[in-house]
Amino acid sequence: MIDLSVDYLGLPLRSPLVVSSSPLSTEIERLKALEENNAGAIVMHSLFEEQIRLESDEMDRFLNAGTEAYFEATTYLPEPRTPNLGPLLYLRQVERTKRAVAIPVIGSLNGVSRGGWIRYAGEIQDAGADALELNMYQLPVRFDVPGKDIEMEYCDLVADIRARLRIPLSVKISAYFTSLPHFARRLEKAGADSLVLFNRFYQPDFDLETLDVEPRLQLSSPEELRLRLHWVAMLFENVGCQLAITGGVHSGSDALKGILAGAHAIMTTSALLSKGPGHLRVMEQEMCEWMAEHGYSSAAEMRGAMSARRAGSAAFVRANYMKVLSGYVMRGSPGGA
Amino acid sequence: MTRPFVTVDGNEAAAYVAHQLSEVIAIYPITPSSPMGEWADQWSSEERPNVWGSVPAVIEMQSEGGAAGAVHGALQAGALTTTFTSSQGLLLMIPNMYKIAGELSPTVLHVAARSLAAQGLSIFGDHQDVMAVRGAGFALLAAHSVQAVMDLAAISHAASLESRVPFVHFFDGFRTSHEVQKIELLTPEDLRALAPDALVRAHRERALSPDRPVIRGTAQNPDVYFQGREAANPYYLACPATVARLMGEFEKLTGRRYQLFDYRGAPDAERVIVIMGSAAQVVEETVDYLAARGEKVGLLNVHLYRPFSVDAFSRALPASVRSLAVLDRSKEPGSLGEPLYLDVIAALHECGRQMGVIGGRYGLSSKGFTPGMAAAIFQELGKSSPAKHFTVGIHDDVTRLSLTHDPEFTVEPAETVKAVFFGLGSDGTVGANKNSIKIIGEDTPNYAQGYFVYDSKKSGSITTSHLRFGPHPIRAQYLIRDAGFVACHQFSLLTRTDVLGVAAAGATFLLNSPYGPEEVWEHLPRGVQQAIIDRKLNFWVIDAYRVARENGMGGRINTVMQTCFFALSGVLPRDQAIAAIKKAIAKTYGKRGEAVVAKNHGAVDATLAHLGQVAVPAEATAGFDRTPPVPPEAPSFVREVLGEMIAGRGDRIPVSRLPVDGTYPTGTSRWEKRNIASEIPVWERGICIQCGKCALVCPHGVIRARVYSRDHLADAPAGFAWTEPKWKEFASQAYTLQVAPEDCTGCGLCVEVCPAKSKTETRIKAIHMEPQAPLREAERRNWEFFLALPETPREDLHLAHVKDVQLLEPLFEFSGACAGCGETPYVKLLTQLFGDRALIANATGCSSIYGGNLPTTPYTTNETGRGPAWSNSLFEDNAEFGLGMRLAVDKQNAYARELLRKLAPRVGADLARDIEDAGQRGEAEIQEQRARIGLLKEKLRGCDSPEAANLLAVADSLVRRSVWLVGGDGWAYDIGFGGLDHVFASGRNVNILVLDTEVYSNTGGQMSKSTPRGAVAKFAAGGKTTAKKDLALMAMSYGDVYVARIAMGANDTQTVKAFLEAEAFDGPSLILAYSHCIAHGYDLRFGLEQQKAAVKSGYWPLFRYNPALAGTSQHPLQLDSREPAMPLSEYVLNEGRYSMLAQTAPEDAARLIEEAQRDVHRRWKTYQHWASMPVREPAS
């Protein structure tokens, strides 16, 4: 009997396969189906503070447009009957999800202001989320802000939120930090119970016909996994907090690799969007078969077995082109710091 | 009992009472009564109960006729029922009013009284509508103030229930319906006390019920109809006493006294003015003023006009009265006098009193009525032989009926504070002032009044807010002329309008200025500088745009300027004022989200640090002044009449200068340079591919293209841009795309549609926006030069090509439509293709307002003087009106042919035959026919016979006419549908263009049957729950109606093709044109993108159904768009009308969008099925 259960963020999960933050969580029926297919937990889609502001601003703008400018039509739209729900819409969704499923529900937050981060984190907790994932999803586009300031801001924010929250806290970050290992330790110190690697950004695409720049988010591809594997393997046992992988997990073997790298939770969405909730069972089946075949009885047993510390491969600390030049040299070098 | 004070307008006051005392409310929107229905709908949707604890049912009908029918039915079935209307709306209710009154059914119609469309439409207030229903058997009760509206609304309901006589409760449109006043609110207990349950039960007992059946509505014959009509007399005889008794009870309840005829003035008055409505307050304050000075004058304020109580009238009039002036806010051409005047004379005769009576007209269409006018009337009454009939408030130099008056005469208490604010519609000035007046009304012991004036354009409209407050009740029912506080919220208005014309000496002047206190002076026009010096104004400036911008408010400077007003006026201590402003902001914007409230609060907090006083120099130094309203080269009528209107001096235009029959010249908008765009399009000739899309979509006709001989370039101004034409046949000529810099509204549609980008810097398109001010002078010269270039000959162009259409001169330009309007590009296209031979019947609505609202109008002529002949009849009858034009054109054509045959020997048989046989297909053949008609006319002028003269009069009808019926969805889907359907069935050659915005845009976004499922609109605040009517399918079901559904943004070629086919089709043609609209709730700059999305999602499938193709190898139904290729939600959630619901009631929104998605698929399948059905008749 293979034991896939895991303790992630202090929450007992029956499987490390977690539904990552995505529009999937907006539909209760789909969440139920994911639970039925043995999802370990659900990370809700993010509450975007900026979007709430934007929606409020837009509603204001369009309700104002053309008003009080002409005798016959002093307004063009009725005032809303009920208030703009703003964050309430999200919080209600957390409550509904909690009522609908028994597995842990992890809220997700993307703020723009310190006040917003703190306030909404508390509200998500109060709405019943079992844990909160801070979705640090911002592009550093200012040319006058050095990286250390951004890192400092992130860490201060995590510490601030940690101090006010009862529930466990994970921090989802991007890969784009000059010294990710150092930054990871700072986040841990600030109070992150888990680091979730990595965010995926909308990346502009070019339309060759219209010469338009179009923001586009495509479903992840399995190739994206390797970056995550690399860094989870690097961080495992070098930071005290837990690790989770999100992005590029499409199959059972992807999940296995993640656990071997050192992840407690393996998050997936794209595969479920394209193949449906039943794909979770397929992944699980594949994992169990492989584990049985290779003599693993539990996820805990295999976790981190191929991390940088435990695999001892120089592949984690060298740039790949070195390997091409001299494939044999790498084998003996230890990883970690 | 203490009652709360509220600060509301007349509409809200009436609607409050009506909603409290009704069970069924059936309405139809019409200005200025629309807000009453909207309030009722809002309160019911918020589940607000009536005094009996039940929420009234509110239904929007398809017309006022429909509303009246529904009211009648609801009354018959025993419900307490009401409605609201104005003007033509009330006229449409007349047939039912006779029925309702004939059946003694208690009800109240609340009427915001408005002018009737005669020589022109007017949305403004007078009593012509009410007077037109005085024969219907309704009691007519007039309210003269906002407080009286609330009070007399209650008395009307109570009196109707008790007397069984139905009531029209009316008050002056705009002046009272839209005037905000602080009034005492009647409580539900008050209302309950006035309308006892026993009377309600009695009403129910009279209702139709199968449990105790009776029959009403019988057909009666000569034997009994007459007696039956007389049988109700006792009810009318008793009614005045009932009203009087209820007024007495009301006084006991509230302390406010009303009588059927309220007398005020000297007890021994000799001269009395008899008047109804808001002007009674003006007479009242004038009488108080004059009587205090010993003059024996008085006012008789008529409340219950019908049934007219001679007894009450006589008792109210002091015995000392020697002469009366009876004033009517109405006009009855050809009568001995207006209705109230005639009634007063009859009443005096009946009660046997002798006195001189004169009758006058005043205040038509909200013309201001002032104490100076009242004083002039008293003066006239004092003459030994006063004018028997007169007008006041105008200068009648034709029939010389007008009295002269002193415009400076004032009677207002010195303690009343008067403030005037100039702003633009887009800056939120009026909204902020409405809040200010509420704050003053509710947070201070002051009485308060607010009245708001807008100009006649929907884009760049100037607003003027008139606020009064003070310790005395405010009775001034006219605009402020001597303000102690003047605020100009837009710096640019200083050169456009006489902002300081209303400033009293010593007034405070607050200016929103990009220049600080130290530097502003040199930027002021000379007249403004001089006025500041002469009147010793306290001059303050603030850069409100900067404060707004810095606080995320964009161009909304309302709260910033409001904060300055409170700080400078000192009406409240600053801290208290700021707290009150913030509270008002939270109340006004709370439902839109916290972020909106927070940014407004931030702007308030940041304001006062930026407010600075200007040290006024001793001398005016500016070398420039206000610009004239129209340039000196404009035609004299434009200069002397329209220009005066533009300058705000229209009130002074004498009668002789106005057309006697409402006929105005076209092509006048070109003279009104409004300069409202902060940025205008700039053409990059090196990038441009000359596709013509920008010119096609420009809603205001400000982007033009021409191909012309390069010889003309020798005279071009420096910097005039041209390039080689991208047409093979025109390669040796020059091509220019020119923008009219002073007419552009800056909407940006052209930039969005432009497909051509710089190869090295893709953000730069062939059309992009740049600040207008630095470009203005040079581009104005370029524009003038461009206009003088010859038109590209039409016969050389392929009209079905969008690229060629850009070279056709638009005969519709610079309308006052909203910036980025989705309708006007279609109208403009119509005029480009057919304008020189088009007759346009235009239904009332947005298109009739931007098409025909004075002072200047957009339809114009080409170089031959030809252009669209345009007229607006009404809202409901446009299909019939247009059909009438077709009938006339056809008849004249037939008659001309008859005469031509008779006169063939004299004009030449060949010419006559060529004219008769001319196919007139296409531009070239039409030009040939015009040449033949020219020749014919020449010959006819040489013939000396009546038949030749008659043929000469109708000869132009031998050139093919293009008759267009234009209107919105409110007309086509709702109020005019019956007529439209008849026109479909007529087989006549008319072209119907429906500008489908899916709501009643002109009256402010009320739901129509075109409104899609799931969209929020007024009367569908929770999202419309039923599907949009498929008018196209209905028309297609006739089989011989051409039908096209178009969306210019999705497929402009199909749009052009549809216009050409519709016009060519010899029978009725219907074009349904998707028109994005400000009421859809998104930035109209992206209107064309949304059109694309509408088509791509399958919501708006494009097609053309051409019955002429029956029997050919082509299927009559051509689907011009593909099957739905994106979810409906992706299209709809870009628009506020849908997303608003998603943000406030997400489950409802999701359900409705899901149902709407099913509608889309169902409709697509239907069309697909139709398009694949075999077209040939089965062999018999």
Side-chain angles (χ1 to χ4, degrees), chain B residues 79 138 142 707 729 903 982:
Chain B
F138 271 55
V707 168
E729 60 272 36
L903 293 166
H982 197 79

Side-chain angles (χ1 to χ4, degrees), chain A residues 56-57 60-61 64 68-72 75-76 78-82 84-85 89 96 119 210-212, chain B residues 31 430 434 454 461 556 591-592 594 596 599 757 849 1001-1002 1004 1018 1081 1083 1140 1143-1144 1146-1147:
Chain A
S56 173
D57 273 351
D60 180 54
R61 189 168 156 216
N64 286 339
E68 301 292 4
Y70 186 64
F71 273 110
E72 296 211 63
T75 60
Y76 284 95
E79 283 293 322
R81 288 198 299 186
T82 48
N84 189 341
L85 293 173
L89 197 58
R96 260 199 302 268
R119 179 187 146 191
T210 61
L211 298 185
D212 282 335
Chain B
T31 306
V430 171
K434 284 185 175 173
Y454 312 82
S461 138
R556 300 284 286 184
K591 283 185 180 168
R592 302 180 185 186
E594 295 164 15
V596 172
K599 70 180 181 184
K757 290 180 175 174
I849 294 302
S1001 302
N1002 192 51
K1018 291 175 183 166
D1083 189 341
M1140 200 164 105
Q1143 286 166 38
T1144 56
E1147 293 87 3

Side-chain angles (χ1 to χ4, degrees), chain A residues 70 72, chain B residues 28-32 34 62 64 86-89 92 114-118 120-124 458 823 840-853 859 870-882 885 964-977 993-995 997 999-1004 1006 1008:
Chain A
Y70 186 64
E72 296 211 63
Chain B
Y28 189 73
I30 183 166
T31 306
S34 306
Q62 89 289 6
E64 290 88 351
S86 293
S87 191
Q88 315 297 136
L92 283 177
R114 165 181 156 180
S115 308
L116 296 176
L121 164 152
S122 166
I123 57 169
F124 294 98
K458 292 177 185 242
E823 297 187 355
I840 300 177
N842 207 132
T844 308
C846 271
S847 53
S848 75
I849 294 302
Y850 59 65
N853 202 356
Y859 287 95
W870 182 94
S871 184
N872 159 244
S873 173
L874 297 168
F875 192 14
E876 62 273 19
D877 73 338
N878 192 53
E880 301 91 320
F881 183 54
M885 291 183 182
W964 286 85
L965 288 48
V966 177
D969 48 284
W971 160 63
Y973 286 68
D974 285 359
I975 195 168
F977 176 69
L993 174 61
V994 178
L995 303 159
T997 61
V999 279
Y1000 289 83
S1001 302
N1002 192 51
T1003 46
Q1006 294 83 3
S1008 78

Side-chain angles (χ1 to χ4, degrees), chain B residues 417-421 465 467 469 480 482-489 502-504 506-510 540 561 564-569:
Chain B
V417 177
K418 289 172 269 186
V420 176
F421 303 76
S465 308
L467 266 56
F469 56 91
I480 293 169
D482 50 351
F485 184 95
V486 177
C488 181
H489 291 193
V502 295
T508 298
F509 175 39
L510 169 65
W540 295 76
M561 298 305 288
C564 294
F565 163 67
F566 274 99
L568 294 176
S569 68

Side-chain angles (χ1 to χ4, degrees), chain A residues 126-148:
Chain A
D126 295 345
D130 296 298
L132 178 65
E133 183 176 287
L134 300 179
N135 181 8
M136 300 274 189
Y137 184 99
Q138 267 157 13
L139 282 177
V141 291
R142 285 179 59 185
F143 288 80
D144 58 345
V145 180
K148 66 179 170 53

Side-chain angles (χ1 to χ4, degrees), chain A residues 139-183:
Chain A
L139 282 177
V141 291
R142 285 179 59 185
F143 288 80
D144 58 345
V145 180
K148 66 179 170 53
D149 289 7
I150 295 175
E151 290 184 8
M152 175 77 82
E153 202 180 306
Y154 277 18
C155 294
D156 287 353
L157 192 62
V158 171
D160 233 358
I161 296 173
R162 174 69 279 164
R164 291 159 207 258
L165 235 52
R166 295 187 309 273
I167 56 174
L169 194 64
S170 64
V171 180
K172 186 171 174 178
I173 55 172
S174 80
Y176 308 108
F177 290 93
T178 311
S179 172
L180 194 65
H182 178 255
F183 182 51

